[in-house]
Amino acid sequence: MRTRIAEQLQEHGTVIKRLESECSDSIARIAGRLVETLKIGNKLLIMGNGGSAADAQHFAAEIVGRFAMERPGLPAMALSTDSSALTAIGNDYGFDRVFSRQVEALAAPGDALVGISTSGNSPNVLKALETGRQAGCSTIGLLGRDGGTIAPLCDLALIVPSDITPRIQEGHITVIHILCDLIEQSLFGSLAGDR
């Protein structure tokens, strides 16, 4: 077991180092777009499936609540949290529409849609980003592998440099925490109680 533990931690460390060397500019651009979105009073709509749904909820919770400092709440929501909407839309329109239908109902021009997909090929995330783009939203992807079919639909995409799903997910949550920090520092860095 110790060998397996060491292998897992080494893989994780390699991905995190590559994120720093290969993706820092992308992270900064995404943070800048999210800051601008929130600064003008728009909101973040975040989506994903499975573990990526959990990441979407985590991201939204850190933005609405707080990450590391006391500050006013900010508008963000995960589109995977309303079980009645998900099951009704899935039943009536198909699972591929569970996010796009919510984007139709909730998105406003200037909002930012964040799609999280380890494969880069989740059909429901893809359709939601297409719908959001037509509605005048920014489209952002947190992806893995080669970015899949979603990457070309994104105004900004971060592709975690790995083909291994758990390592991609670990990269995503690390990036989400960095984005939360950069948003708080950019919007409220002068507030007392920082860290």
Side-chain angles (χ1 to χ4, degrees):
M1 282 190 185
R2 293 178 80 79
T3 300
R4 188 71 181 160
I5 291 167
E7 289 170 355
Q8 299 279 306
L9 290 171
Q10 287 165 8
E11 283 179 2
H12 171 82
T14 298
V15 170
I16 298 304
K17 285 177 185 168
R18 289 188 65 193
L19 273 174
E20 180 185 5
S21 64
E22 299 172 27
C23 302
S24 291
D25 289 344
S26 294
I27 296 169
R29 283 192 293 274
I30 291 169
R33 180 70 58 92
L34 297 180
V35 166
E36 287 306 311
T37 298
L38 294 166
K39 195 180 281 186
I40 62 173
N42 282 90
K43 64 187 172 295
L44 313 184
L45 298 173
I46 312 164
M47 71 204 101
N49 298 288
S52 298
D55 287 343
Q57 291 170 217
H58 185 154
F59 194 3
E62 301 284 20
I63 297 299
V64 173
R66 68 172 178 193
F67 179 66
M69 67 166 56
E70 289 297 333
R71 42 90 176 161
L74 295 166
M77 63 187 302
L79 300 182
S80 56
T81 58
D82 185 337
S83 60
S84 294
L86 292 173
T87 55
I89 296 165
N91 186 62
D92 294 347
Y93 297 98
F95 192 68
D96 287 0
R97 296 276 311 277
V98 294
F99 299 138
S100 62
R101 186 69 172 181
Q102 292 183 78
V103 170
E104 286 175 24
L106 301 171
D111 287 348
L113 303 185
V114 181
I116 307 172
S117 173
T118 57
S119 68
N121 293 311
S122 303
N124 54 11
V125 173
L126 179 80
K127 286 185 186 304
L129 292 170
E130 288 173 337
T131 300
R133 179 173 269 191
Q134 292 166 4
C137 300
S138 294
T139 55
I140 295 165
L142 299 182
L143 310 169
R145 298 189 172 89
D146 63 358
T149 56
I150 292 174
L153 277 178
C154 296
D155 299 321
L156 298 168
L158 180 129
I159 301 168
V160 173
S162 179
D163 292 327
I164 302 168
T165 297
R167 303 295 85 85
I168 296 167
Q169 290 174 325
E170 291 160 10
H172 284 166
I173 198 61
T174 299
V175 169
I176 286 166
H177 280 170
I178 293 167
L179 292 172
C180 290
D181 177 71
L182 294 171
I183 288 167
E184 283 192 343
Q185 289 300 314
S186 296
L187 294 175
F188 306 106
S190 62
L191 291 180
D194 181 19
R195 292 198 190 239

mmCIF file of all heavy atoms in Angstrom, residues 70-101:
data_model
loop_
_atom_site.group_PDB
_atom_site.id
_atom_site.type_symbol
_atom_site.label_atom_id
_atom_site.label_comp_id
_atom_site.label_asym_id
_atom_site.label_seq_id
_atom_site.Cartn_x
_atom_site.Cartn_y
_atom_site.Cartn_z
ATOM 1 N N GLU A 70 -13.760 37.732 5.631
ATOM 2 C CA GLU A 70 -15.103 38.265 5.837
ATOM 3 C C GLU A 70 -15.341 39.349 4.794
ATOM 4 O O GLU A 70 -14.559 40.288 4.686
ATOM 5 C CB GLU A 70 -15.246 38.843 7.244
ATOM 6 C CG GLU A 70 -15.274 37.793 8.334
ATOM 7 C CD GLU A 70 -16.455 36.845 8.227
ATOM 8 O OE1 GLU A 70 -17.513 37.231 7.666
ATOM 9 O OE2 GLU A 70 -16.311 35.691 8.664
ATOM 10 N N ARG A 71 -16.417 39.178 4.040
ATOM 11 C CA ARG A 71 -16.737 40.150 2.989
ATOM 12 C C ARG A 71 -18.192 39.935 2.596
ATOM 13 O O ARG A 71 -18.803 38.925 2.967
ATOM 14 C CB ARG A 71 -15.798 40.005 1.795
ATOM 15 C CG ARG A 71 -15.476 38.570 1.364
ATOM 16 C CD ARG A 71 -16.442 38.040 0.346
ATOM 17 N NE ARG A 71 -16.096 36.713 -0.152
ATOM 18 C CZ ARG A 71 -16.957 35.934 -0.751
ATOM 19 N NH1 ARG A 71 -18.213 36.323 -0.923
ATOM 20 N NH2 ARG A 71 -16.597 34.744 -1.178
ATOM 21 N N PRO A 72 -18.776 40.854 1.832
ATOM 22 C CA PRO A 72 -20.168 40.655 1.383
ATOM 23 C C PRO A 72 -20.285 39.410 0.497
ATOM 24 O O PRO A 72 -19.340 39.027 -0.184
ATOM 25 C CB PRO A 72 -20.466 41.927 0.570
ATOM 26 C CG PRO A 72 -19.475 42.932 1.047
ATOM 27 C CD PRO A 72 -18.243 42.158 1.423
ATOM 28 N N GLY A 73 -21.461 38.799 0.535
ATOM 29 C CA GLY A 73 -21.724 37.658 -0.334
ATOM 30 C C GLY A 73 -21.753 38.078 -1.790
ATOM 31 O O GLY A 73 -22.060 39.226 -2.121
ATOM 32 N N LEU A 74 -21.436 37.147 -2.652
ATOM 33 C CA LEU A 74 -21.419 37.390 -4.093
ATOM 34 C C LEU A 74 -22.356 36.399 -4.779
ATOM 35 O O LEU A 74 -22.545 35.275 -4.296
ATOM 36 C CB LEU A 74 -19.995 37.232 -4.634
ATOM 37 C CG LEU A 74 -18.977 38.259 -4.130
ATOM 38 C CD1 LEU A 74 -17.557 37.807 -4.453
ATOM 39 C CD2 LEU A 74 -19.255 39.627 -4.735
ATOM 40 N N PRO A 75 -22.935 36.774 -5.935
ATOM 41 C CA PRO A 75 -23.928 35.914 -6.581
ATOM 42 C C PRO A 75 -23.318 34.796 -7.428
ATOM 43 O O PRO A 75 -22.636 35.046 -8.414
ATOM 44 C CB PRO A 75 -24.721 36.899 -7.450
ATOM 45 C CG PRO A 75 -23.744 37.993 -7.774
ATOM 46 C CD PRO A 75 -22.835 38.104 -6.580
ATOM 47 N N ALA A 76 -23.578 33.568 -6.999
ATOM 48 C CA ALA A 76 -23.137 32.391 -7.738
ATOM 49 C C ALA A 76 -24.082 31.248 -7.403
ATOM 50 O O ALA A 76 -24.593 31.164 -6.288
ATOM 51 C CB ALA A 76 -21.707 32.013 -7.360
ATOM 52 N N MET A 77 -24.314 30.388 -8.368
ATOM 53 C CA MET A 77 -25.119 29.202 -8.084
ATOM 54 C C MET A 77 -24.658 28.026 -8.924
ATOM 55 O O MET A 77 -24.208 28.190 -10.062
ATOM 56 C CB MET A 77 -26.606 29.474 -8.296
ATOM 57 C CG MET A 77 -27.008 29.824 -9.692
ATOM 58 S SD MET A 77 -28.758 30.317 -9.828
ATOM 59 C CE MET A 77 -29.593 28.886 -9.203
ATOM 60 N N ALA A 78 -24.760 26.842 -8.318
ATOM 61 C CA ALA A 78 -24.477 25.596 -9.023
ATOM 62 C C ALA A 78 -25.782 25.080 -9.601
ATOM 63 O O ALA A 78 -26.799 25.029 -8.909
ATOM 64 C CB ALA A 78 -23.872 24.584 -8.061
ATOM 65 N N LEU A 79 -25.756 24.698 -10.850
ATOM 66 C CA LEU A 79 -26.971 24.250 -11.532
ATOM 67 C C LEU A 79 -27.279 22.775 -11.283
ATOM 68 O O LEU A 79 -28.219 22.242 -11.860
ATOM 69 C CB LEU A 79 -26.848 24.523 -13.036
ATOM 70 C CG LEU A 79 -26.655 25.988 -13.427
ATOM 71 C CD1 LEU A 79 -26.606 26.129 -14.943
ATOM 72 C CD2 LEU A 79 -27.741 26.874 -12.831
ATOM 73 N N SER A 80 -26.525 22.151 -10.392
ATOM 74 C CA SER A 80 -26.731 20.734 -10.086
ATOM 75 C C SER A 80 -27.440 20.515 -8.758
ATOM 76 O O SER A 80 -27.563 19.375 -8.310
ATOM 77 C CB SER A 80 -25.375 20.018 -10.059
ATOM 78 O OG SER A 80 -24.509 20.658 -9.135
ATOM 79 N N THR A 81 -27.929 21.570 -8.128
ATOM 80 C CA THR A 81 -28.411 21.434 -6.745
ATOM 81 C C THR A 81 -29.915 21.283 -6.600
ATOM 82 O O THR A 81 -30.377 20.835 -5.560
ATOM 83 C CB THR A 81 -27.969 22.654 -5.911
ATOM 84 O OG1 THR A 81 -28.475 23.831 -6.524
ATOM 85 C CG2 THR A 81 -26.475 22.730 -5.808
ATOM 86 N N ASP A 82 -30.698 21.646 -7.581
ATOM 87 C CA ASP A 82 -32.154 21.601 -7.462
ATOM 88 C C ASP A 82 -32.664 20.276 -8.022
ATOM 89 O O ASP A 82 -32.850 20.124 -9.226
ATOM 90 C CB ASP A 82 -32.767 22.790 -8.213
ATOM 91 C CG ASP A 82 -34.266 22.902 -8.039
ATOM 92 O OD1 ASP A 82 -34.917 21.879 -7.722
ATOM 93 O OD2 ASP A 82 -34.796 24.010 -8.238
ATOM 94 N N SER A 83 -32.896 19.304 -7.137
ATOM 95 C CA SER A 83 -33.269 17.969 -7.605
ATOM 96 C C SER A 83 -34.614 17.966 -8.326
ATOM 97 O O SER A 83 -34.808 17.191 -9.274
ATOM 98 C CB SER A 83 -33.294 16.975 -6.440
ATOM 99 O OG SER A 83 -34.222 17.381 -5.452
ATOM 100 N N SER A 84 -35.537 18.841 -7.935
ATOM 101 C CA SER A 84 -36.829 18.894 -8.634
ATOM 102 C C SER A 84 -36.651 19.395 -10.065
ATOM 103 O O SER A 84 -37.224 18.831 -11.006
ATOM 104 C CB SER A 84 -37.809 19.791 -7.878
ATOM 105 O OG SER A 84 -38.116 19.217 -6.631
ATOM 106 N N ALA A 85 -35.852 20.454 -10.226
ATOM 107 C CA ALA A 85 -35.602 20.962 -11.584
ATOM 108 C C ALA A 85 -34.849 19.930 -12.422
ATOM 109 O O ALA A 85 -35.193 19.678 -13.573
ATOM 110 C CB ALA A 85 -34.828 22.276 -11.526
ATOM 111 N N LEU A 86 -33.830 19.317 -11.849
ATOM 112 C CA LEU A 86 -33.036 18.340 -12.599
ATOM 113 C C LEU A 86 -33.890 17.167 -13.061
ATOM 114 O O LEU A 86 -33.797 16.732 -14.215
ATOM 115 C CB LEU A 86 -31.879 17.820 -11.743
ATOM 116 C CG LEU A 86 -30.766 18.809 -11.402
ATOM 117 C CD1 LEU A 86 -29.799 18.179 -10.408
ATOM 118 C CD2 LEU A 86 -30.024 19.251 -12.649
ATOM 119 N N THR A 87 -34.729 16.649 -12.166
ATOM 120 C CA THR A 87 -35.519 15.478 -12.544
ATOM 121 C C THR A 87 -36.660 15.851 -13.489
ATOM 122 O O THR A 87 -36.972 15.094 -14.410
ATOM 123 C CB THR A 87 -36.050 14.749 -11.301
ATOM 124 O OG1 THR A 87 -36.781 15.663 -10.468
ATOM 125 C CG2 THR A 87 -34.903 14.132 -10.510
ATOM 126 N N ALA A 88 -37.263 17.010 -13.293
ATOM 127 C CA ALA A 88 -38.331 17.431 -14.211
ATOM 128 C C ALA A 88 -37.776 17.697 -15.602
ATOM 129 O O ALA A 88 -38.326 17.224 -16.600
ATOM 130 C CB ALA A 88 -39.024 18.680 -13.665
ATOM 131 N N ILE A 89 -36.692 18.448 -15.675
ATOM 132 C CA ILE A 89 -36.101 18.755 -16.986
ATOM 133 C C ILE A 89 -35.581 17.480 -17.638
ATOM 134 O O ILE A 89 -35.799 17.244 -18.834
ATOM 135 C CB ILE A 89 -34.982 19.815 -16.843
ATOM 136 C CG1 ILE A 89 -35.566 21.143 -16.343
ATOM 137 C CG2 ILE A 89 -34.255 20.017 -18.168
ATOM 138 C CD1 ILE A 89 -34.525 22.127 -15.832
ATOM 139 N N GLY A 90 -34.901 16.646 -16.856
ATOM 140 C CA GLY A 90 -34.393 15.392 -17.403
ATOM 141 C C GLY A 90 -35.517 14.509 -17.924
ATOM 142 O O GLY A 90 -35.401 13.898 -18.995
ATOM 143 N N ASN A 91 -36.625 14.439 -17.192
ATOM 144 C CA ASN A 91 -37.759 13.617 -17.605
ATOM 145 C C ASN A 91 -38.452 14.182 -18.838
ATOM 146 O O ASN A 91 -38.811 13.443 -19.761
ATOM 147 C CB ASN A 91 -38.756 13.520 -16.445
ATOM 148 C CG ASN A 91 -39.884 12.559 -16.739
ATOM 149 O OD1 ASN A 91 -39.658 11.379 -16.929
ATOM 150 N ND2 ASN A 91 -41.102 13.078 -16.784
ATOM 151 N N ASP A 92 -38.644 15.507 -18.861
ATOM 152 C CA ASP A 92 -39.413 16.126 -19.942
ATOM 153 C C ASP A 92 -38.593 16.399 -21.201
ATOM 154 O O ASP A 92 -39.132 16.349 -22.306
ATOM 155 C CB ASP A 92 -40.028 17.446 -19.463
ATOM 156 C CG ASP A 92 -41.079 17.244 -18.388
ATOM 157 O OD1 ASP A 92 -41.515 16.088 -18.184
ATOM 158 O OD2 ASP A 92 -41.467 18.238 -17.738
ATOM 159 N N TYR A 93 -37.305 16.720 -21.036
ATOM 160 C CA TYR A 93 -36.499 17.148 -22.183
ATOM 161 C C TYR A 93 -35.276 16.262 -22.444
ATOM 162 O O TYR A 93 -34.642 16.399 -23.484
ATOM 163 C CB TYR A 93 -36.003 18.586 -21.970
ATOM 164 C CG TYR A 93 -37.113 19.596 -21.873
ATOM 165 C CD1 TYR A 93 -37.564 20.041 -20.632
ATOM 166 C CD2 TYR A 93 -37.713 20.100 -23.018
ATOM 167 C CE1 TYR A 93 -38.593 20.970 -20.536
ATOM 168 C CE2 TYR A 93 -38.745 21.026 -22.930
ATOM 169 C CZ TYR A 93 -39.176 21.457 -21.688
ATOM 170 O OH TYR A 93 -40.202 22.372 -21.595
ATOM 171 N N GLY A 94 -34.911 15.433 -21.488
ATOM 172 C CA GLY A 94 -33.716 14.607 -21.614
ATOM 173 C C GLY A 94 -32.568 15.168 -20.777
ATOM 174 O O GLY A 94 -32.494 16.377 -20.534
ATOM 175 N N PHE A 95 -31.690 14.267 -20.345
ATOM 176 C CA PHE A 95 -30.595 14.668 -19.453
ATOM 177 C C PHE A 95 -29.655 15.672 -20.102
ATOM 178 O O PHE A 95 -29.045 16.497 -19.420
ATOM 179 C CB PHE A 95 -29.820 13.430 -18.982
ATOM 180 C CG PHE A 95 -28.865 13.706 -17.860
ATOM 181 C CD1 PHE A 95 -29.317 14.048 -16.599
ATOM 182 C CD2 PHE A 95 -27.496 13.626 -18.072
ATOM 183 C CE1 PHE A 95 -28.430 14.315 -15.561
ATOM 184 C CE2 PHE A 95 -26.596 13.880 -17.042
ATOM 185 C CZ PHE A 95 -27.076 14.223 -15.780
ATOM 186 N N ASP A 96 -29.553 15.644 -21.425
ATOM 187 C CA ASP A 96 -28.682 16.596 -22.121
ATOM 188 C C ASP A 96 -29.132 18.040 -21.933
ATOM 189 O O ASP A 96 -28.354 18.964 -22.177
ATOM 190 C CB ASP A 96 -28.620 16.287 -23.623
ATOM 191 C CG ASP A 96 -27.801 15.054 -23.936
ATOM 192 O OD1 ASP A 96 -27.279 14.419 -22.995
ATOM 193 O OD2 ASP A 96 -27.689 14.726 -25.124
ATOM 194 N N ARG A 97 -30.367 18.264 -21.515
ATOM 195 C CA ARG A 97 -30.900 19.632 -21.371
ATOM 196 C C ARG A 97 -30.966 20.122 -19.930
ATOM 197 O O ARG A 97 -31.468 21.217 -19.678
ATOM 198 C CB ARG A 97 -32.309 19.702 -21.976
ATOM 199 C CG ARG A 97 -32.403 19.449 -23.474
ATOM 200 C CD ARG A 97 -32.134 20.656 -24.335
ATOM 201 N NE ARG A 97 -32.858 21.856 -23.963
ATOM 202 C CZ ARG A 97 -34.104 22.152 -24.319
ATOM 203 N NH1 ARG A 97 -34.802 21.328 -25.075
ATOM 204 N NH2 ARG A 97 -34.654 23.286 -23.931
ATOM 205 N N VAL A 98 -30.505 19.308 -18.954
ATOM 206 C CA VAL A 98 -30.728 19.690 -17.548
ATOM 207 C C VAL A 98 -30.055 21.007 -17.174
ATOM 208 O O VAL A 98 -30.557 21.725 -16.297
ATOM 209 C CB VAL A 98 -30.309 18.590 -16.541
ATOM 210 C CG1 VAL A 98 -31.182 17.363 -16.683
ATOM 211 C CG2 VAL A 98 -28.836 18.242 -16.646
ATOM 212 N N PHE A 99 -28.955 21.361 -17.812
ATOM 213 C CA PHE A 99 -28.297 22.635 -17.517
ATOM 214 C C PHE A 99 -28.729 23.726 -18.490
ATOM 215 O O PHE A 99 -28.932 24.871 -18.087
ATOM 216 C CB PHE A 99 -26.775 22.477 -17.533
ATOM 217 C CG PHE A 99 -26.239 21.513 -16.511
ATOM 218 C CD1 PHE A 99 -25.237 20.617 -16.842
ATOM 219 C CD2 PHE A 99 -26.734 21.492 -15.214
ATOM 220 C CE1 PHE A 99 -24.733 19.724 -15.908
ATOM 221 C CE2 PHE A 99 -26.240 20.608 -14.268
ATOM 222 C CZ PHE A 99 -25.235 19.712 -14.617
ATOM 223 N N SER A 100 -28.887 23.397 -19.762
ATOM 224 C CA SER A 100 -29.221 24.435 -20.742
ATOM 225 C C SER A 100 -30.587 25.054 -20.466
ATOM 226 O O SER A 100 -30.778 26.260 -20.652
ATOM 227 C CB SER A 100 -29.155 23.893 -22.171
ATOM 228 O OG SER A 100 -30.094 22.862 -22.381
ATOM 229 N N ARG A 101 -31.530 24.247 -20.012
ATOM 230 C CA ARG A 101 -32.855 24.798 -19.690
ATOM 231 C C ARG A 101 -32.753 25.775 -18.523
ATOM 232 O O ARG A 101 -33.392 26.833 -18.527
ATOM 233 C CB ARG A 101 -33.817 23.654 -19.363
ATOM 234 C CG ARG A 101 -35.241 24.086 -19.144
ATOM 235 C CD ARG A 101 -35.891 24.573 -20.423
ATOM 236 N NE ARG A 101 -37.308 24.796 -20.196
ATOM 237 C CZ ARG A 101 -38.148 25.207 -21.106
ATOM 238 N NH1 ARG A 101 -37.722 25.435 -22.339
ATOM 239 N NH2 ARG A 101 -39.413 25.388 -20.833
#
